[in-house]
Amino acid sequence: MARAPRLTESASAVFAVLAQAGTATRPQLASLARLSKPTVSSAVAELEGVHLAAHSGTSSGGTGRSAAVYRLGPAAGAVLAVDLGPALTRVRGCALDGSLLAEATGPREDAADVVRDALGALPADAPLRTIVVAVGDVAAPQRVRPATAKAGPVFDTVTVALPPGVPVHLENNVNCAALAELHEGSARGRDTFGYLRIGVGIGLGIVVGGRVLRGANGAAGELARLPYPWDDDREPRHEALEEYIGARSLLRRAAESWPEADGPCPDTTERLFALAGEGRAAARAVVGRHGTDVGRLAAAVTAVLDPGLIVLGGSTGADAQVLAGVRAELDRLSWPTEVITGTLGELGTVVGAARLAVARGVQTVTEAARAKD
């Protein structure tokens, strides 16, 4: 990995705002960075000298004068986001201004090849600044050494494809999806909400004050650990709630109640929801009960967080047929809380991971500000 050049503090500040803006004139940079115009001119010259900024045309003002427009230069580099999903691996490579440079998708078992494909599509002259890997487990948001990280066998196979020397950060997949919904999805404009993902597993992304709440151990929102069942006759079992609400149990309940007259029982949740959408009574009953169950879980979330908004996601949670049941049960058990469906779907995790990777990539460059102005 190419090391970021040492920068003055003002050049570091200008680089950060230019990365966020994408393109900007020097007056705009001065306003965004809250620096004087002479300081910004010096900072831009410094960034151009090490190819972290580049001239990108001109902009005409209302007075008829034109101003030079700048963008990130080739030395700014790129970042990589990897979503190790339950079925598919999704990878995105982005410039430090967030623009998409490369993407690849493939089966989970071919995760290393998918990563290699995305890496191969990145510009050859763009140094790779950081990598964020989204995993379906508790993940403290810190840099890890791929050789020693404990993130499951799929991550172990991916490490062989990761370039040596590039910082790698693990992040929980639901937290990534929550971040994506906050900035690019259905929760835009809302700085506090819960992202409730229901699919093969269950999880909650908690956003408070515009930031993801991770907890002391990186385990905030691990709903699978809620005690279940909880009554006089049964003892809670480890992750029994996830076992009950998850997609596998949904299909098992469908099989247990499926009438022979309705033909073969669906063997995928996609088929189950499709039959419910067609009006098949058995499928509608199973899906309706699923909406009630998710609504009860949403009521538990609301009782603890009072988020004001719950965004539903996941392969079964985000289906439109679940929404009404969730709203009805939440209204019955708790106080008024808005419930909507996420808009990013299965792409949410990699979109959020890419946003995190960009932020960390910019940080690797701006942290090179060691010299004094």
Side-chain angles (χ1 to χ4, degrees), residues 7 21 81 100 143 247 295 300 308 364:
L7 300 172
L100 184 65
R143 179 175 174 177
T364 63

PDB file of all heavy atoms in Angstrom, residues 7 21 81 100 143 247 295 300 308 364:
ATOM      1  N   LEU A   7       1.151  15.887   5.147  1.00  0.00           N
ATOM      2  CA  LEU A   7       0.443  17.102   4.759  1.00  0.00           C
ATOM      3  C   LEU A   7       0.441  18.111   5.900  1.00  0.00           C
ATOM      4  O   LEU A   7       0.503  17.739   7.077  1.00  0.00           O
ATOM      5  CB  LEU A   7      -1.012  16.789   4.389  1.00  0.00           C
ATOM      6  CG  LEU A   7      -1.262  15.826   3.233  1.00  0.00           C
ATOM      7  CD1 LEU A   7      -2.741  15.500   3.164  1.00  0.00           C
ATOM      8  CD2 LEU A   7      -0.775  16.415   1.927  1.00  0.00           C
ATOM      9  N   ALA A  21     -17.160  16.895  -0.972  1.00  0.00           N
ATOM     10  CA  ALA A  21     -17.862  17.681  -1.983  1.00  0.00           C
ATOM     11  C   ALA A  21     -17.790  17.053  -3.366  1.00  0.00           C
ATOM     12  O   ALA A  21     -18.680  17.255  -4.194  1.00  0.00           O
ATOM     13  CB  ALA A  21     -17.282  19.093  -2.027  1.00  0.00           C
ATOM     14  N   ALA A  81     -15.072  -2.337  -0.276  1.00  0.00           N
ATOM     15  CA  ALA A  81     -16.103  -2.783   0.669  1.00  0.00           C
ATOM     16  C   ALA A  81     -16.526  -4.183   0.277  1.00  0.00           C
ATOM     17  O   ALA A  81     -16.817  -4.454  -0.893  1.00  0.00           O
ATOM     18  CB  ALA A  81     -17.301  -1.840   0.648  1.00  0.00           C
ATOM     19  N   LEU A 100     -18.339   5.284  -7.566  1.00  0.00           N
ATOM     20  CA  LEU A 100     -18.142   3.852  -7.774  1.00  0.00           C
ATOM     21  C   LEU A 100     -17.100   3.614  -8.865  1.00  0.00           C
ATOM     22  O   LEU A 100     -17.201   4.149  -9.968  1.00  0.00           O
ATOM     23  CB  LEU A 100     -19.469   3.197  -8.161  1.00  0.00           C
ATOM     24  CG  LEU A 100     -19.475   1.678  -8.333  1.00  0.00           C
ATOM     25  CD1 LEU A 100     -19.176   0.992  -7.009  1.00  0.00           C
ATOM     26  CD2 LEU A 100     -20.830   1.225  -8.872  1.00  0.00           C
ATOM     27  N   ARG A 143      -9.418  -1.931  13.444  1.00  0.00           N
ATOM     28  CA  ARG A 143      -8.573  -2.571  12.449  1.00  0.00           C
ATOM     29  C   ARG A 143      -8.199  -3.969  12.924  1.00  0.00           C
ATOM     30  O   ARG A 143      -7.940  -4.204  14.100  1.00  0.00           O
ATOM     31  CB  ARG A 143      -7.318  -1.732  12.221  1.00  0.00           C
ATOM     32  CG  ARG A 143      -6.361  -2.343  11.201  1.00  0.00           C
ATOM     33  CD  ARG A 143      -5.200  -1.420  10.926  1.00  0.00           C
ATOM     34  NE  ARG A 143      -4.214  -2.059  10.067  1.00  0.00           N
ATOM     35  CZ  ARG A 143      -3.120  -1.458   9.628  1.00  0.00           C
ATOM     36  NH1 ARG A 143      -2.879  -0.200   9.972  1.00  0.00           N
ATOM     37  NH2 ARG A 143      -2.274  -2.082   8.847  1.00  0.00           N
ATOM     38  N   ALA A 247     -35.814 -17.339   8.615  1.00  0.00           N
ATOM     39  CA  ALA A 247     -36.448 -17.857   7.401  1.00  0.00           C
ATOM     40  C   ALA A 247     -36.610 -19.375   7.400  1.00  0.00           C
ATOM     41  O   ALA A 247     -37.602 -19.898   6.879  1.00  0.00           O
ATOM     42  CB  ALA A 247     -35.628 -17.421   6.182  1.00  0.00           C
ATOM     43  N   GLY A 295     -43.825  -7.911  14.345  1.00  0.00           N
ATOM     44  CA  GLY A 295     -44.401  -6.790  15.073  1.00  0.00           C
ATOM     45  C   GLY A 295     -44.139  -6.877  16.567  1.00  0.00           C
ATOM     46  O   GLY A 295     -43.886  -5.861  17.232  1.00  0.00           O
ATOM     47  N   ALA A 300     -40.760  -4.862  21.214  1.00  0.00           N
ATOM     48  CA  ALA A 300     -39.675  -4.970  22.190  1.00  0.00           C
ATOM     49  C   ALA A 300     -38.611  -3.909  21.925  1.00  0.00           C
ATOM     50  O   ALA A 300     -38.092  -3.275  22.856  1.00  0.00           O
ATOM     51  CB  ALA A 300     -39.057  -6.365  22.131  1.00  0.00           C
ATOM     52  N   GLY A 308     -38.898   6.150  17.420  1.00  0.00           N
ATOM     53  CA  GLY A 308     -39.738   7.002  16.579  1.00  0.00           C
ATOM     54  C   GLY A 308     -39.949   6.454  15.188  1.00  0.00           C
ATOM     55  O   GLY A 308     -40.966   6.710  14.559  1.00  0.00           O
ATOM     56  N   THR A 364      -7.160   7.932   6.489  1.00  0.00           N
ATOM     57  CA  THR A 364      -5.764   7.514   6.333  1.00  0.00           C
ATOM     58  C   THR A 364      -4.928   8.602   5.673  1.00  0.00           C
ATOM     59  O   THR A 364      -3.723   8.707   5.929  1.00  0.00           O
ATOM     60  CB  THR A 364      -5.657   6.228   5.492  1.00  0.00           C
ATOM     61  OG1 THR A 364      -6.142   6.472   4.169  1.00  0.00           O
ATOM     62  CG2 THR A 364      -6.425   5.087   6.119  1.00  0.00           C
TER      63      THR A 364
END
